[in-house]
Amino acid sequence: MSDNCIFCQILAEKAPCYPVHETRYTRTFLDIFPAAPGHCLIVTKEHYTDIFDATPEAIAMVGHVSTLIAHAVRDELQCDGVGVFQLNGAAAGQTVFHYHMHVIPRNTGEELVIHSRQPGNASELEAMAARLSKRAHAMRIDD
Ligand code: 5GP
Ligand code: ZN
């Protein structure tokens, strides 16, 4: 737990999120500034700043879960592709300094973005989290 870390606040239930999936080591929830509808973040339960700080085990677990979430996103949203991105350091575009992976639905012809400044609509985020959560849990890949 790190003070002033928004993802730690979410993990401690001190800030809200739109939950999608959970394992012993990870939580997955929607990005509230979605680059595309269904944009998920897979977050380690422990606070690690970035790839240089996280343990290989935690990184492997996030990678493992990212395959499940990529399948869930593609199956549920029928998108053309799925981007899996992970940024380390401000120079690489990292804006929240708690290790996480982005899983972003992609469709042919759409501009490739990782960050959006536009917040998602609350009821749409809620409905999306419910759909992806149901799909991910039906797949039964877990820790
Ligand atoms: P990074 O730039 O560090 O790879 O990605 C951080 C992501 O966290 C950004 O895409 C940003 O939209 C998202 N984000 C920032 N604050 C919050 C928040 O309070 N809740 C959620 N769910 N996502 C957030
Ligand atoms: Zn944190």
Side-chain angles (χ1 to χ4, degrees), residues 42 66 70 82-86 101-104:
I42 303 156
S66 75
V82 178
V84 181
F85 301 102
Q86 201 276 305
M101 187 82 82
H102 296 257
V103 176
I104 307 179

Side-chain angles (χ1 to χ4, degrees), residues 2 5 7-8 47 97-98:
S2 169
C5 170
F7 290 172
C8 282
H47 179 89
F97 295 90
H98 177 132

Side-chain angles (χ1 to χ4, degrees), residues 35-101:
H39 181 169
C40 292
L41 300 172
I42 303 156
V43 173
T44 53
K45 284 191 176 174
E46 288 278 319
H47 179 89
Y48 302 110
T49 306
D50 54 26
I51 199 169
F52 305 109
D53 185 36
T55 62
E57 292 79 9
I59 291 170
M61 197 61 204
V62 169
H64 175 67
V65 172
S66 75
T67 65
L68 163 70
I69 299 300
H71 278 277
V73 160
R74 192 180 62 165
D75 290 357
E76 183 63 31
L77 304 179
Q78 297 291 301
C79 46
D80 298 327
V82 178
V84 181
F85 301 102
Q86 201 276 305
L87 308 175
N88 301 282
Q94 186 178 9
T95 57
V96 175
F97 295 90
H98 177 132
Y99 184 80
H100 61 278
M101 187 82 82

Side-chain angles (χ1 to χ4, degrees), residues 10 15-20 27-30 32:
I10 289 171
C17 76
Y18 298 92
V20 171
R27 285 267 295 273
T28 301
F29 46 81
L30 294 181
I32 51 165

